[in-house]
Amino acid sequence: MSLLFLRSLVFNVLFYAVLVFWAIIALPTFLMSPRAMLTVAGWWADSTLFLMRVICNIKVEFRGVEKIPTGPLVIASKHQSFWETFALLRFFDRPIFILKRQLMHIPVFGQFLGKTGMIAIDRSAGVKALLDMTRRARDAVRSGRQLVIFPEGTRRAPGAPPDYKTGFAQIYSACGVPCLPIALNSGLFWPRRTFMRYPGTLVVEFLDPLPPGLAKDEYIARVRSAIEEATGRIVEAGRKEQEQLIGSAPSYVASGS
């Protein structure tokens, strides 16, 4: 475990150093189109994946990339880690995320988010926030962007009971475009609320797209079923690999807490 700690420490120091580096590189893009800033963000994501591989022995495997539709799209992704909030950028032409309004208040970082058109919501505003989020998401998607949404609203540890909200179905209905479900096991390697990074193969699986126009209940059921089945399968495989690499999966991850 001491080696894991050291690798995690080195990775985190370099991660933030690289983040600052790319933030400086991206400063001129404030005078350009949002696409330029998203390009730099993609370079940051690629740099981070490189650091994960060489320092932490975390390989990343993307499956089903050929299933990604072109054009405007709603992406419904499992959310286990901070990792997917940047790693998915590289697969979409003009991605946009729905995020907490508090992130917009972070100096410089918040300005980057605003420049790229990310949708910030005030969760305490209830129905009003949902209506505003739906309107802005619809307008963004109709302009040709790809909306990334996390149906459970927040990060859920691997093995934790799923908690799908209903608001994401309203957004899907309003946008009127296909939905691409995504399963992943990132929480095994980049867990929430800890700086530890664990080795193994992080898998992202792009699943079969769902057509537009599904009824709300059918849509929620199909998204949940597809994501949870695939996530359960790749989480189990990831745990077995970790047991071989480090003796056992981290207890707080394995318990799903």
Side-chain angles (χ1 to χ4, degrees):
M1 290 299 290
S2 59
L3 181 58
L4 284 176
F5 179 88
L6 180 59
R7 285 179 172 177
S8 299
L9 179 61
V10 171
F11 170 81
N12 280 282
V13 170
L14 291 177
F15 171 76
Y16 287 107
V18 168
L19 174 59
V20 171
F21 169 80
W22 285 118
I24 294 172
I25 295 296
L27 286 176
T29 64
F30 275 107
L31 304 176
M32 305 177 191
S33 70
R35 189 185 298 271
M37 189 171 288
L38 287 169
T39 298
V40 177
W43 296 342
W44 167 50
D46 289 341
S47 300
T48 302
L49 266 60
F50 173 77
L51 292 177
M52 290 168 62
R53 184 174 70 253
V54 299
I55 297 173
C56 303
N57 191 25
I58 301 174
K59 299 179 290 293
V60 181
E61 180 181 342
F62 296 99
R63 301 174 182 170
V65 175
E66 71 281 357
K67 297 180 181 180
I68 301 176
T70 58
L73 183 67
V74 170
I75 300 106
S77 175
K78 189 69 175 177
H79 192 19
Q80 294 182 349
S81 168
F82 171 70
W83 181 85
E84 52 266 15
T85 64
F86 63 84
L88 295 178
L89 288 171
R90 60 208 298 267
F91 292 98
F92 304 101
D93 181 45
R94 299 174 60 203
I96 183 171
F97 286 74
I98 294 176
L99 45 81
K100 296 184 295 185
R101 177 169 292 178
Q102 293 90 325
L103 295 176
M104 304 295 289
H105 299 153
I106 300 175
V108 182
F109 184 68
Q111 283 68 52
F112 280 128
L113 295 176
K115 172 68 176 180
T116 54
M118 301 303 170
I119 300 175
I121 62 168
D122 179 4
R123 292 177 177 175
S124 64
V127 175
K128 182 177 181 297
L130 177 60
L131 293 175
D132 180 62
M133 176 179 65
T134 301
R135 176 187 57 80
R136 294 178 62 191
R138 179 199 62 206
D139 293 346
V141 170
R142 288 182 178 178
S143 73
R145 303 195 69 170
Q146 298 84 35
L147 175 71
V148 182
I149 189 168
F150 302 114
E152 294 174 280
T154 189
R155 292 172 296 174
R156 305 283 293 173
D163 184 23
Y164 285 70
K165 314 301 182 183
T166 58
F168 81 100
Q170 181 171 324
I171 293 173
Y172 156 82
S173 297
C175 291
V177 296
C179 171
L180 178 71
I182 298 178
L184 46 76
N185 62 357
S186 58
L188 293 173
F189 312 97
W190 189 311
R192 58 180 187 167
R193 299 171 187 165
T194 176
F195 82 102
M196 292 294 290
R197 304 290 175 256
Y198 297 95
T201 305
L202 193 162
V203 175
V204 176
E205 189 167 331
F206 299 97
L207 307 173
D208 292 331
L210 299 176
L214 296 176
K216 176 180 176 181
D217 289 346
E218 180 185 3
Y219 172 70
I220 294 175
R222 290 181 64 175
V223 167
R224 173 174 173 150
S225 175
I227 292 177
E228 292 305 311
E229 186 281 326
T231 295
R233 169 169 41 79
I234 60 180
V235 164
E236 181 62 24
R239 283 179 172 156
K240 289 180 178 178
E241 183 184 16
Q242 283 188 329
E243 289 173 358
Q244 295 176 344
L245 291 172
I246 60 176
S248 63
S251 59
Y252 64 90
V253 173
S255 65
S257 59

